[in-house]
Amino acid sequence: MRLLLIEDDDRIAGPLTEGLGRYGFTVDRVRTGAAGLAGDGSADLVLLDLGLPDMDGLDVCRSLRARSPVPIIMITARGEEADRVAGLELGADDYLAKPFGVRELVARIRAVTRRTGALPTVPPAQATAPPTAAAPQRLGSLEVDRRTRQVRVEGGEIALTPREFDLLAYLAQDPGAVHSRQQIMDAVWDPHFFGPTKTLDAHVASLRRKLGDAGWITTARGVGFRLTVPGAPPPGASA
């Protein structure tokens, strides 16, 4: 996965590039907002510092978002709530205040890419079976099209809110697998979300109603939820 790091501080950029490299990421680093905006757009995700020497990182975020859906994670020493809110409202997908560990950043990168459907740019021959943003995913009578953000059941399109679609697409990435409530909240909601987790139950209930069968999303009591095809045998069942 190719990352664009927009960071002017060598003391941060050097160790960060090295650390991310150990996790298999390719990092292209630039020092200014202008250089970041002049890129060729090949990055799968942008790591953006706010304190840049030539322009405010918020302006860089606004410009990037205006021309591209590329996921953006802000990494900055500005930890005030007002800065976090401003960044998220301008289109950033996550906000990580310095200091932070590489492992936490990697976890957030993975959560953002799951939530947004962003996938690394690889040659078609290296592509694997998991659903991509370019090809609709079909599970029984359910079709999830991440490219157009459309969902169909029995051929008929159903209207979902953006959050409902993100929740369904997340669960559909690994049908049958149980996802904990915390995993879902981190992936579908912002990791900085501090509201009641009952909002997840409300969205699950709404999805079940719109899908027309509560069996599409089953509850693993005390753990979380899984996406299943109603009437299909449970995983591991013999023929």
Side-chain angles (χ1 to χ4, degrees):
M1 186 174 186
R2 182 173 294 277
L3 309 177
L4 173 61
L5 172 61
I6 307 177
E7 168 65 69
D8 66 310
D9 192 336
D10 293 337
R11 296 169 299 176
I12 294 174
L16 193 55
T17 299
E18 180 182 352
L20 289 169
R22 291 198 297 268
Y23 282 88
F25 295 99
T26 299
V27 181
D28 297 321
R29 184 261 180 125
V30 296
R31 291 177 169 82
T32 65
L37 293 174
D40 59 8
S42 62
D44 298 301
L45 184 143
V46 176
L47 301 174
L48 172 62
D49 181 28
L50 292 189
L52 298 171
D54 60 333
M55 58 193 302
D56 194 296
L58 293 175
D59 293 327
V60 178
C61 179
R62 182 186 294 108
S63 297
L64 285 173
R65 182 55 67 237
R67 69 188 193 189
S68 170
V70 63
I72 300 171
I73 297 179
M74 291 184 168
I75 51 172
T76 176
R78 300 184 196 174
E80 298 298 324
E81 180 182 5
D83 291 310
R84 294 199 303 270
V85 170
L88 295 170
E89 288 185 343
L90 285 173
D93 296 277
D94 200 357
Y95 192 110
L96 189 55
K98 302 172 184 176
F100 55 83
V102 173
R103 289 178 59 188
E104 180 182 3
L105 176 58
V106 169
R108 289 175 181 266
I109 290 172
R110 290 171 177 167
V112 165
T113 53
R114 286 195 304 266
R115 185 167 68 243
T116 62
L119 295 169
T121 303
V122 296
Q126 298 178 18
T128 54
T132 69
Q137 180 186 10
R138 292 178 175 83
L139 298 164
S141 61
L142 173 67
E143 179 181 302
V144 180
D145 191 332
R146 291 170 173 79
R147 184 178 63 84
T148 62
R149 295 181 67 86
Q150 292 177 307
V151 173
R152 297 177 178 84
V153 176
E154 300 289 353
E157 184 175 348
I158 61 175
L160 300 182
T161 67
R163 191 76 74 185
E164 289 170 348
F165 179 88
D166 291 341
L167 172 58
L168 178 63
Y170 174 71
L171 294 175
Q173 288 183 119
D174 194 358
V178 175
H179 303 269
S180 73
R181 299 176 68 88
Q182 190 59 55
Q183 286 174 327
I184 296 171
M185 294 300 295
D186 287 347
V188 179
W189 276 259
D190 187 270
H192 297 293
F193 180 81
F194 294 110
T197 59
K198 286 297 183 183
T199 187
L200 171 57
D201 299 275
H203 280 76
V204 168
S206 178
L207 264 181
R208 286 169 170 163
R209 183 177 65 256
K210 291 183 178 181
L211 292 172
D213 189 331
W216 279 110
I217 302 177
T218 58
T219 302
R221 190 172 300 278
V223 181
F225 300 95
R226 65 162 66 88
L227 181 73
T228 59
V229 178
S238 58

